[in-house]
Amino acid sequence: MAGKYHVAIVGATGAVGLELLRVLEQRDFPASDLRLLASPRSAGKRLRFRGGDHEVSRLDEDSFRGIDLAFFSAGSETAKKFAPLACRAGAVVIDNSSAFRMEPEVPLVLPEVNPGDVKAHRGIIANPNCTTAIALMALFPLHRAFSLRRVFGASYQAVSGTGARAIDELRRQVEASVRGADASPEVYPHPIAFNVLPHVDRFLESGYTGEEMKLQNEGRKMMHLPEFRASVTCVRVPVYRAHSVALSAEFERPVSLEKARDVLAKAPGLDLIDEPRLNRYPTPLEVAGKDNCQVGRLRLDAALDNGLALWVAGDQLLKGAALNAVQIAELL
Ligand code: A2P
C-alpha cells in the first residue's frame, strides 16, 4: 500500500471493533483519518485512537462518502445491507461476518494460507470464521507436508467471540455465583459461568450447527481443497478471550512427528509450544493478547491411519478477527 487511506470501522464499539482500533494503531496502519460507525445507541460516544478522541457516528446510507477502506464487524445483517453501499461509494470492504464468506466472487482470505486470492476481489473481501482461522494456522502447514484428507475435533470457544454482551454476561454470572445469587442467562440459553455449552451458532437440519460446518466449508475454499471433510463439535466455555481447538487430522501421506514438528515450528504466525513433561502447552490465558497462534500436544493419532492429534489456541479477537482483517488490508 502506498499513501494514506480514509478508513471506516463499522461496529467500532464492539469487541472486535475496539480491537481493530488497537491493531491499526500498533501496526501504524497508513490511515489519514478514521470514521467510527456503530448503531444509533453509540452515536456521540468517543473512542481513543493515536492519542486523540474520535466520535462515533451512527451508521447510515451516507457513511461511506470519501472512504477507501471499510472494516465491517457488526454482524451479517448490517454487512448485507451496508457493504454494497460502501462498495458503491468506492470503498473496499473487509467483512468479519459470515454474510459473504461462501459467495463465489468474494475472496475469503487467511494471509498465511491463500494471500493470492485477495487479487480477485470485486469490492468485498471476507475474513474467515475465528475457529476456522485458528485451526488452519496449524492444519495448512501440515497439509502442505502430508496432504490433508479429513479432521475430527472439538472447539473450546471464548465468550468474546459472541460479543461485548456475552463478556458482561459471564462476568455477571461469575459475580452472582460467588455471592450465592442467581443470574439468569440472557445471551446464551443456559448459564455460561461454571458450565460448557455444546452449542455455538444455530442448529441445522443435519444436527450440526452453522459454526461447526465452517471448518469444512471455509477450509475447502481457503485451502483450495474441495474434498476436505471436517466433523467438529463447537463448545462455548467460560473463558473471556481466546479459542482453543482439539483436532485429529488424517492425511493422504504417511506422517512423521519429527517432520510435523519441524513444519509447525517454521509456520508463519504460529508458535510451537510442546513440552508436555514441563507442563508447557498452549492455553487460552497464555495466548490471549498475542498475535501468533500456538500449537502443542502434538502426537501420532491413536485412532487414524496417517493421523496427527494436536491442540491449537489463538486469540480469536486478533488472528480470528481484527488482526487478520488488518493483514488483509496490508496485502491490498
Ligand atoms: P453498538 O455498540 O452501538 O450496539 P459486538 O459483536 O461486541 O456485540 O459488537 C457489535 C458491533 O456492531 C457494535 O459496535 C454495535 O454497535 C454494532 N452494531 C450492531 N448492530 C448495528 C446496526 N444495526 N447498525 C450499526 N452498527 C451496529
Side-chain angles (χ1 to χ4, degrees):
M1 273 180 127
K4 296 268 191 182
Y5 295 82
H6 301 278
V7 175
I9 299 181
V10 179
T13 49
V16 174
L18 293 173
E19 215 53 53
L20 267 166
L21 283 170
R22 254 173 251 144
V23 174
L24 289 170
E25 184 166 333
Q26 257 168 22
R27 295 175 79 91
D28 207 12
F29 191 85
S32 59
D33 61 58
L34 200 56
R35 195 169 300 164
L36 304 180
L37 301 160
S39 80
R41 290 181 292 274
S42 302
K45 229 180 180 175
R46 303 187 82 83
L47 299 175
R48 301 287 292 174
F49 181 69
R50 287 187 186 147
D53 263 348
H54 292 249
E55 189 169 324
V56 178
S57 312
R58 129 199 205 145
L59 174 66
D60 64 30
E61 277 77 4
D62 290 329
S63 293
F64 301 100
R65 203 170 291 152
I67 292 295
D68 303 308
L69 183 62
F71 293 100
F72 272 63
S73 194
S76 287
E77 289 316 305
T78 305
K80 280 184 197 146
K81 185 163 168 207
F82 287 94
L85 294 175
C87 291
R88 235 169 280 147
V92 174
V93 169
I94 299 174
D95 178 37
N96 198 49
S97 81
S98 59
F100 306 107
R101 286 182 192 147
M102 298 313 295
E103 302 272 323
E105 77 283 3
V106 174
L108 174 68
V109 177
L110 194 62
E112 290 80 358
V113 173
N114 59 335
D117 287 0
V118 98
K119 289 195 209 99
H121 84 82
R122 297 196 212 152
I124 301 178
I125 300 161
N127 213 24
N129 165 258
C130 45
T131 305
T132 301
I134 290 162
L136 288 197
M137 291 300 285
L139 285 176
F140 186 68
L142 293 172
H143 163 60
R144 298 230 292 202
F146 308 118
S147 284
L148 186 59
R149 180 186 289 164
R150 57 182 182 155
V151 162
F152 302 89
S155 69
Y156 302 70
Q157 300 188 212
V159 295
S160 46
T162 310
R165 282 184 61 229
I167 302 174
D168 286 345
E169 176 145 314
L170 174 57
R171 187 164 294 132
R172 205 168 40 79
Q173 287 178 357
V174 168
E175 285 167 3
S177 180
V178 168
R179 290 197 313 271
D182 277 343
S184 53
E186 286 169 16
V187 176
Y188 298 116
H190 304 281
I192 184 65
F194 309 107
N195 207 0
V196 296
L197 311 180
H199 179 182
V200 179
D201 203 357
R202 69 191 196 293
F203 287 101
L204 308 174
E205 282 284 299
S206 61
Y208 281 95
T209 66
E211 183 84 355
E212 287 165 352
M213 294 316 296
K214 288 171 187 170
L215 181 57
Q216 176 169 298
N217 296 336
E218 297 183 21
R220 285 178 173 181
K221 183 165 175 175
M222 286 187 283
M223 294 191 288
H224 303 163
L225 199 57
E227 308 287 315
F228 171 63
R229 297 176 75 177
S231 174
V232 186
T233 302
C234 286
V235 183
R236 188 71 64 189
V237 295
V239 163
Y240 283 113
R241 183 164 173 157
H243 290 355
S244 310
V245 53
L247 297 169
S248 281
E250 188 181 53
F251 299 88
E252 302 285 348
R253 297 203 287 274
V255 296
S256 92
L257 267 187
E258 199 188 357
K259 183 163 181 195
R261 253 184 240 294
D262 184 53
V263 156
L264 293 173
K266 290 180 182 148
L270 186 70
D271 295 331
L272 176 65
I273 300 184
D274 196 21
E275 296 174 288
R277 282 186 186 78
L278 301 175
N279 301 329
R280 294 199 69 236
Y281 34 73
T283 64
L285 274 183
E286 180 61 32
V287 81
K290 296 202 168 86
D291 283 356
N292 279 6
C293 295
Q294 299 179 345
V295 59
R297 296 295 325 277
L298 191 65
R299 57 220 192 264
L300 293 177
D301 193 277
L304 296 175
D305 294 331
N306 302 331
L308 288 168
L310 57 152
W311 170 259
V312 196
D315 187 319
Q316 93 292 351
L317 296 178
L318 288 173
K319 189 59 200 171
L323 173 64
N324 201 66
V326 175
Q327 287 172 327
I328 291 173
E330 290 168 352
L331 275 180
L332 287 172

